[in-house]
Amino acid sequence: MSRLLLFNKPFGVLSQFTDRGSPTLRSTLSDFIDVKGVYPAGRLDRDSEGLLLLCDDGRLQARIADPRFKMPKTYFVQVEGDPQERDLDGLRRGVRLKDGMTLPAEVVRIDAPELWLRDPPIRQRKFIPDSWLKITIREGRNRQVRRMTAAVGLPTLRLVRWSIGAWSVAGIAPGRFEEVSSPGVGKGGTTGQ
């Protein structure tokens, strides 16, 4: 049986276990996870939060992370501005980035989701509105969601990966993880830290 951990990665944490060679000490997965033999299945940027999957099975890791399998990844995205349907339609059709066209995304405008407080908090601007989007993509380019929203004139302020496939970060506090007893079935097993 493969081991699979669902980790709620806090803002400012690197999606790796070490940070050798950095002139400043940065937080890594080893500050939160003391489970031997598991490795991240994909990445989540240091300035992004939410679900990061870790496993001990290379085949499962590839299935989760490899864009060929087009596993859906859903994000709650706080953007600067007031998105109109034309902006959202641009994301739904796909956006031209420097590394080519993205696949079409599923995008809906949502009310602010009930999330944990971010540390540090998002800076609020008195005269510039912000909005929340729920975006699902089926590929995983470097900083893709941030680049997509910027391309349609909606800079990302906060990015929270909520789910990957059937796995979700719902109910897992930032900096905590749960071990899934049977990969692909859902949450269960033990709670870490």
Side-chain angles (χ1 to χ4, degrees), residues 142-162:
N142 186 38
R143 300 182 68 78
Q144 180 176 340
V145 172
R146 290 177 187 279
R147 293 190 296 145
M148 289 175 70
T149 62
V152 297
L154 300 167
T156 293
L157 302 172
R158 185 176 183 190
L159 183 70
V160 177
R161 183 160 58 200
W162 190 253

Side-chain angles (χ1 to χ4, degrees), residues 112-158:
E114 290 189 30
L115 297 171
W116 52 88
L117 296 178
R118 196 188 91 166
D119 184 23
I122 297 295
R123 186 177 76 176
Q124 299 294 321
R125 294 184 177 179
K126 189 173 184 178
F127 299 107
I128 300 177
D130 61 72
S131 307
W132 283 90
L133 303 174
K134 180 180 174 185
I135 300 177
T136 301
I137 61 173
R138 297 182 185 283
E139 54 188 334
R141 300 182 196 188
N142 186 38
R143 300 182 68 78
Q144 180 176 340
V145 172
R146 290 177 187 279
R147 293 190 296 145
M148 289 175 70
T149 62
V152 297
L154 300 167
T156 293
L157 302 172
R158 185 176 183 190

Side-chain angles (χ1 to χ4, degrees), residues 17-189:
F17 281 97
T18 62
D19 187 28
R20 294 191 190 116
S22 175
T24 59
L25 189 61
R26 299 183 294 181
S27 185
T28 67
L29 298 177
S30 61
D31 297 325
F32 302 92
I33 300 171
D34 188 21
V35 176
K36 302 296 180 205
V38 295
Y39 301 94
R43 301 189 63 77
L44 190 58
D45 297 324
R46 183 173 178 228
D47 54 354
S48 298
E49 310 161 67
L51 184 61
L52 182 66
L53 300 176
L54 297 96
C55 65
D56 65 354
D57 179 333
R59 293 173 92 187
L60 177 60
Q61 189 176 23
R63 180 128 183 105
I64 293 167
D66 194 316
R68 290 179 301 168
F69 296 108
K70 295 181 175 45
M71 187 170 282
K73 298 168 189 76
T74 299
Y75 299 82
F76 292 146
V77 187
Q78 184 181 19
V79 295
E80 187 175 275
D82 182 20
Q84 303 302 306
E85 277 303 306
R86 69 180 176 275
D87 303 317
L88 303 184
D89 285 342
L91 295 169
R92 292 175 185 134
R93 285 191 304 271
V95 177
R96 178 162 305 283
L97 303 175
K98 287 182 181 177
D99 53 353
M101 283 295 289
T102 66
L103 294 176
E106 297 169 30
V107 183
V108 292
R109 191 168 174 166
I110 60 172
D111 292 332
E114 290 189 30
L115 297 171
W116 52 88
L117 296 178
R118 196 188 91 166
D119 184 23
I122 297 295
R123 186 177 76 176
Q124 299 294 321
R125 294 184 177 179
K126 189 173 184 178
F127 299 107
I128 300 177
D130 61 72
S131 307
W132 283 90
L133 303 174
K134 180 180 174 185
I135 300 177
T136 301
I137 61 173
R138 297 182 185 283
E139 54 188 334
R141 300 182 196 188
N142 186 38
R143 300 182 68 78
Q144 180 176 340
V145 172
R146 290 177 187 279
R147 293 190 296 145
M148 289 175 70
T149 62
V152 297
L154 300 167
T156 293
L157 302 172
R158 185 176 183 190
L159 183 70
V160 177
R161 183 160 58 200
W162 190 253
S163 64
I164 299 173
W167 300 295
S168 169
V169 74
I172 304 172
R176 308 281 298 222
F177 66 88
E178 290 186 8
E179 185 167 346
V180 176
S181 57
S182 298
V185 174
K187 288 193 294 190

